[in-house]
Amino acid sequence: MNEGRDRLVERITALKARRKAIILAHNYQLGEIQDIADFVGDSLELSQRAADSQAEVIIFCGVHFMAETAAILCPDKVVLLSHVHAGCPMADMVTAEALRQKKAEHPGATVVCYVNSSAEVKAESDVCCTSANALDLVRGLDSTEILFVPDKYLGHYVAAQTGKQMVLWPGYCPTHTRIQAADIARLKSQHPQAEVMVHPECRPDVIELADFVLSTGGMCRHARATAAREIIVGTEIGLVYRLRKENPEKVFIPISEQAICPTMKLTRLENVLWCLEEMSPRVEVPQETRLRAKAAVDKMLGG
Ligand code: 13P
Ligand code: SF4
């Protein structure tokens, strides 16, 4: 660490205590943010942490829908997003209005929304899921027809695994589409002993070549538990920082160095400090939307 960074971290730590704040960071955040966070995790783990936290202020280092989910769960806490422009392009691929129209075409369908969606879309949905629990949640549904938004690739994977009839929204993650099957084939020939783990936001032909399809939190657990020494990783590059930090004896090979989520990389230490100083940008959800969205999110958390 250099002196400037040390000083920033000191100021963040002091102000965080004064504000009774907690820093939650997603696994794709820059190393400098992961290193100062109180908790680093996947979307499900971060929602659980937010819901259980006793802090008065939550600084969410991630993207907007994650902070918004915390605001849905914790209306009495101040939820701050680390960078005002940190959105998720996939979440923006479905609006509540467009979803209402689709629901009218499928009146009997159960609507399952991926947590990568706005509060308004969650409010239009019956159940919310993350990549960690999508399979279990969908398996547990009685419905014969499921309308799944917005990720067509996660939806395709869930439909294939569960055998459920699913109508898929045409959304996708621009970062995960950079991960290509041809690169896995090349890396597997170079590292024949390596395991391959990928995120379910990847394309179907990529998922086909994987040994394990996991959320980012699932990848962290698997990396610790496996006897494999080499692991080929198909997700956003930020996770590799955490995998290497926690497993220095193992080798992690990203499928694509280009799998960078630009909005996840906006947050720097300065942004966290400014957030604490200015108590902004704050993320709030109007009460009527919040309560309807919370019903779907509670099911995601097992409630
Ligand atoms: P995880 O919930 O698996 O961390 O995924 C979040 C995400 O945005 C993946 O692109
Ligand atoms: Fe959204 Fe993809 Fe970035 Fe995840 S990696 S936050 S799905 S754009």
Side-chain angles (χ1 to χ4, degrees), residues 42 135 203 209 214 218 221 261 291:
D42 68 15
L135 284 180
R203 297 170 189 270
L209 294 177
L214 297 164
R221 285 188 291 280
C261 177
L291 290 175

Side-chain angles (χ1 to χ4, degrees), residues 26 28 63 65-66 87-91 114 116 151 172-176 199 201 235-236 260-264:
H26 188 263
Y28 296 159
V63 291
F65 77 82
M66 296 177 176
C88 166
M90 184 211 282
Y114 189 25
N116 298 38
D151 186 0
Y172 63 93
C173 165
T175 299
H176 281 82
H199 197 276
E201 286 176 17
T235 193
E236 207 272 349
I260 299 167
C261 177
T263 50
M264 279 282 183

Side-chain angles (χ1 to χ4, degrees), residues 79-135:
V79 178
L80 304 170
L81 178 61
S82 55
H83 194 292
V84 71
H85 296 304
C88 166
M90 184 211 282
D92 295 339
M93 290 178 188
V94 59
T95 62
E97 180 50 35
L99 177 54
R100 276 193 289 273
Q101 283 176 20
K102 199 68 171 171
K103 280 167 66 174
E105 292 167 26
H106 300 272
T110 298
V111 182
V112 180
C113 72
Y114 189 25
V115 69
N116 298 38
S117 55
S118 67
E120 291 77 18
V121 165
K122 290 182 174 76
E124 290 294 331
S125 304
D126 298 301
V127 188
C128 187
C129 70
T130 75
S131 59
N133 61 12
L135 284 180

